[in-house]
Amino acid sequence: MAVAVRGGRGGGLGSGGVNAGLRSFFSYRIFLSAMFTILFVATLSAILTTHPSASSQLPSSFHSGDAYMHRTFLAIKSDPLKTRLDLIYKQATDHMTLVNAYAAYARKLKLDISKQLKMFDDLAKNFSDLTTKPGYSFPGHDAVDEEVLRQFEKEVKEKVKVARSMIVESKESYDNQIKIQKLKDTIFAVNEQLGKAKKNGGIASSISAKSIPKSLHCLAMRLVEERIAHPENYTEQEPSPAIEDPSLYHYALFSDNVIAVSVVVRSVVMNAEEPWKHVFHVVTDRMNLAAMKVWFRMRPVEGGAHVEIKAVEDFPFLNSSYVPVLKQLESSYMQNYYYKNQGENGSIGDASNVKFRNPKYMSMLNHLRFYLPELYPKLHKVLFLDDDVVVQKDLTGLWKIDLDGRVNGAVETCFGSFHRYSHYLNFSHPLIRENFNSKACAWAFGMNIFDLDAWRREKCTDTYHHWQNLNENHSLWKLGTLPPGLITFYSKTKSLDKSWHVLGLGYNPGISLDEIRNAAVIHYNGNMKPWLDIAMNQYKHLWTKYIDGDMEFVQMCNFGL
């Protein structure tokens, strides 16, 4: 029995070791399973606790640090119609706020009565009414009807579209930077258009100034026809001794315009106290010589005044071997410059180019003024008049002015920095810069009293020849007779009172009527000559009143009197 008991204990010891190992192994697996189960339950409980049991708890979660986690879980279970409704409400509210802001700014700018402000107020009210419209009430957003939502969205989009359109249009009115930029753009565009208009106007004006009006052409043809039809009435006569009498008042007038010359002569005589003491020396070109002679034979000057009419060709010394202008016109350079197609020489759209290339500036009639002592060797003083002037007072006082030994008596035209020598001469050229003062005051051609004795003493014609030869390539001055005149009579000109000679009636519409009324001579310098259609109406009558309206050819040729 004792043996049996011991045998049992020995056998129990072997099998018990195996069982203990198995129990340990299974206990470990159970432990792991329990741990995974606990983790799973914990995770599941976390998910279940974050499920939105009440929608009212959602907004507070967005203020916590777990906002992203909450939005993620909300998106899993959210209603797309509610999200869409929220977006529509937000869009409507944002645009209503923006419209109200613009309306408030409009009131600040005192635009209370403007149409724009009223439109902003109406639109803001429409937004407000739309969001509170009974048909579009979505209490708590619990139940959203898709059809109602679609209609609500459509109306909101229409209002938003209108609001955006109004805001875009209104930005220019409320945004100062946009307004400034728009103003700059407008100014730039207007300046560009103004520049083009001025250029086109300059070209048109230059073309009009160079053209011969039909009435003027008609008059010349009628006069020549009269000369051919009745040659016996226009035989040459012996010149009057008064033509060379230095004790009389002598005028020099160089022109190819018959009606203009007649107006100058008539205005002088009608305002002269002793018209029989006035002598007019008219020089024209060969083409207009016959017409000029017929006019003054048919319409003799009133008051016993004397008129001498000659052509440039009647003075043999005026030839290319003596006169620089005639010599220069024979050169191929000058012929190309003045007469060749301008499209080959420069831009046809350049108004200054058209002006510079006008051949009249090199015509002998224009440069005869530099040869007065040789044209009239027996005279002591001569009053030079342009053909675009009108005389309104007796001019004999000019012969009584003491010129202090100077050659030329003229009215100065400078004021401030305008019409100085620098305006007419090229002071970048060393010859001009070394010999003349750029700030010297310019004066006007058109009414000049010349002391021919002083002219001969100072050898002014030689001075003119010298500088005209130097300017063959136009490097000293561009055009005209005034620049060489300023050079020729530099420091040899006596300034006259401005009332003797008022200029600008051919380009300046703002001349004082009192200034014109008090002037002895008014000058239509510029392109708007009084015999052209482009003449300024406020000044034209001052010229037309001296036209001989009783002359039959004037009436036939329709001078618009």
Side-chain angles (χ1 to χ4, degrees), residues 398-412:
L398 288 167
W399 276 264
K400 301 172 184 176
I401 294 176
D402 184 3
L403 296 180
D404 300 325
R406 295 177 182 173
V407 179
N408 174 29
V411 170
E412 292 183 338

Side-chain angles (χ1 to χ4, degrees), residues 98-281:
L98 192 58
V99 167
N100 282 327
Y102 272 92
Y105 193 64
R107 292 189 190 91
K108 184 178 179 181
L109 295 178
K110 298 182 179 178
L111 301 177
D112 295 319
I113 59 174
S114 70
K115 180 180 178 182
Q116 200 173 59
L117 176 59
K118 185 176 185 303
M119 292 173 65
F120 276 128
D121 284 338
D122 291 346
L123 187 58
K125 187 174 183 300
N126 289 342
F127 269 118
S128 179
D129 292 345
L130 183 64
T131 55
T132 58
K133 193 174 180 180
Y136 297 141
S137 178
F138 304 97
H141 299 183
D142 291 330
V144 178
D145 188 319
E146 188 172 358
E147 288 298 324
V148 175
L149 179 62
R150 188 179 293 113
Q151 182 62 29
F152 178 61
E153 183 180 23
K154 181 180 178 182
E155 291 194 31
V156 169
K157 284 184 176 180
E158 289 176 356
K159 296 288 187 291
V160 167
K161 185 177 180 182
V162 174
R164 287 177 177 174
S165 176
M166 285 184 60
I167 290 168
V168 168
E169 292 177 3
S170 303
K171 273 188 177 181
E172 295 180 2
S173 301
Y174 300 114
D175 191 321
N176 289 335
Q177 291 299 322
I178 293 178
K179 288 165 70 176
I180 291 170
Q181 187 59 47
K182 185 178 180 181
L183 184 59
K184 287 181 178 179
D185 294 343
T186 303
I187 292 172
F188 178 80
V190 170
N191 281 335
E192 195 172 40
Q193 292 176 359
L194 180 61
K196 291 179 181 178
K198 282 184 176 179
K199 184 181 288 186
N200 294 336
I203 294 172
S205 181
S206 297
I207 293 172
S208 299
K210 290 190 292 183
S211 64
I212 300 176
K214 190 179 293 185
S215 56
L216 191 58
H217 181 72
C218 166
L219 178 62
M221 293 298 101
R222 293 286 184 181
L223 291 168
V224 172
E225 183 182 17
E226 170 66 18
R227 173 71 174 80
I228 295 171
H230 305 96
E232 68 281 359
N233 296 335
Y234 304 102
T235 57
E236 293 295 329
Q237 298 177 344
E238 288 295 321
S240 168
I243 298 300
E244 296 182 340
D245 186 351
S247 65
L248 301 179
Y249 305 112
H250 292 265
Y251 300 81
L253 187 56
F254 310 135
S255 174
D256 57 0
N257 187 327
V258 177
I259 197 70
V261 169
S262 71
V263 167
V264 175
V265 172
R266 200 159 187 257
S267 65
V268 171
V269 171
M270 290 178 67
N271 291 287
E273 294 177 1
E274 300 173 313
W276 60 89
K277 291 185 178 181
H278 295 258
V279 182
F280 298 91
H281 301 271

Side-chain angles (χ1 to χ4, degrees), residues 271 390-395 411 447 497-503 505 511-523 542 546:
N271 291 287
V390 169
V391 177
Q392 301 185 126
K393 295 181 180 180
D394 182 74
L395 297 180
V411 170
M447 190 222 71
D497 187 273
K498 292 186 182 297
S499 63
W500 280 110
H501 186 192
V502 172
L503 298 102
L505 279 74
I511 303 174
S512 165
L513 293 180
D514 289 336
E515 190 178 358
I516 293 174
R517 192 180 302 112
N518 295 327
V521 175
I522 54 175
H523 194 169
L542 300 170
Y546 290 106

